[in-house]
Amino acid sequence: KISADLIDAFANDGRVEVLSQFSVKLPLTVIADQLGVPRSDLSKFKRWTDGFVAQLGGMASPEDALEAARRIVEFQHYFADRLEEARQAPGEDIISDLGRARVEGEAPLDVTESLSILQQLLVAGNETTADAIAEGCWLLAQNPDQQAAARLDPALIPNLVEEVLRLSSPTGNMWRVTTVATVLGGVEIPAGAFVLVSFASANRDESQFEDPDRFDIERENARD
């Protein structure tokens, strides 16, 4: 329903800027509904997401870094207020669930912890999905044979999604900490070391994927 409504808004125009008119709005709307916050605030969520992404990227100028910090503080104030409202009058949404969450022997989540969880939902769930949808549309536009195959057989779409994620890797890297000393690829890694795991590299590993730079929606091991 959300996808159809978004498409209806531009279908008669004969053209679309996929990122701003569809792929950003779709996950933001879904997440807003799940959190229990109004869709009318979507533009704010996008602003705050951009602020977090600028901070995480580490490439912002001092001026941009300051603007990112302002946006993050706006996010914190907005959702701290929503958490308090949910505490006073809980509903059937994730913000209310955070207020109700209890684990035996543990203190309830405080505001800082709840904001951290909400940040993960809003930013990680939104930015990666928006990027993957836009990249998927671009790959289909660049590969008309693959687009034709998907139109002919919609059963291919789930594997198409896996192939988009493999090839575009909307999260390119992730930090991990080794728990024990190990040797990987002939390199000694001590326990407690920071390791940057490169999904983007692994997803194009020639030993795992035949012709790894090719977009193939029928690739049998796309989800590997």
Side-chain angles (χ1 to χ4, degrees):
K1 175 69 166 62
I2 296 169
S3 293
D5 288 346
L6 289 171
I7 292 168
D8 284 345
F10 58 72
N12 292 329
D13 297 341
R15 61 183 292 120
V16 60
E17 201 288 301
V18 172
L19 192 65
S20 64
Q21 291 181 264
F22 186 79
S23 71
V24 167
K25 291 182 178 180
L26 177 59
L28 271 180
T29 303
V30 172
I31 292 168
D33 289 353
Q34 291 178 329
L35 293 179
V37 292
R39 292 184 182 182
S40 56
D41 287 340
L42 289 188
S43 60
K44 296 178 182 177
F45 304 152
K46 175 59 178 163
R47 262 177 56 83
W48 300 335
T49 296
D50 290 346
F52 281 112
V53 171
Q55 186 186 62
L56 288 169
M59 301 291 287
S61 67
E63 294 78 12
D64 290 341
L66 184 59
E67 175 59 24
R70 289 194 186 99
R71 294 183 182 193
I72 291 169
V73 171
E74 288 176 13
F75 160 88
Q76 292 170 338
H77 282 282
Y78 177 95
F79 278 102
D81 289 344
R82 300 295 83 73
L83 286 162
E84 178 58 25
E85 290 169 3
R87 190 179 70 82
Q88 299 287 346
E92 296 301 319
D93 53 64
I94 289 176
I95 291 178
S96 298
D97 288 343
L98 290 176
R100 286 190 290 254
R102 298 291 184 274
V103 175
E104 186 176 350
E106 297 284 347
L109 292 167
D110 61 24
V111 172
T112 302
E113 292 165 333
S114 296
L115 288 175
S116 177
I117 293 170
L118 292 170
Q119 174 194 333
Q120 289 296 313
L121 291 170
L122 183 66
V123 180
N126 153 37
E127 184 76 13
T128 52
T129 309
D131 290 352
I133 292 171
E135 179 89 2
C137 291
W138 183 84
L139 286 167
L140 288 169
Q142 295 292 313
N143 296 273
D145 61 321
Q146 299 294 295
Q147 182 181 158
R151 289 178 181 275
L152 191 64
D153 183 6
L156 291 172
I157 291 175
N159 202 64
L160 182 161
V161 173
E162 297 293 346
E163 179 71 344
V164 169
L165 293 174
R166 181 195 72 83
L167 196 60
S168 68
S169 304
T171 298
N173 310 292
M174 186 66 70
W175 287 103
R176 289 290 182 261
V177 179
T178 54
T179 56
V180 295
T182 189
V183 177
L184 186 63
V187 177
E188 294 185 5
I189 305 174
F194 281 102
V195 179
L196 185 66
V197 181
S198 177
F199 302 135
S201 176
N203 288 343
R204 297 187 185 222
D205 184 348
E206 299 92 342
S207 67
Q208 184 76 10
F209 303 103
E210 184 180 350
D211 196 2
D213 295 331
R214 179 168 56 90
F215 180 53
D216 180 6
I217 68 172
E218 297 184 70
R219 188 183 297 275
E220 292 183 358
N221 67 336
R223 69 178 295 128
D224 292 345

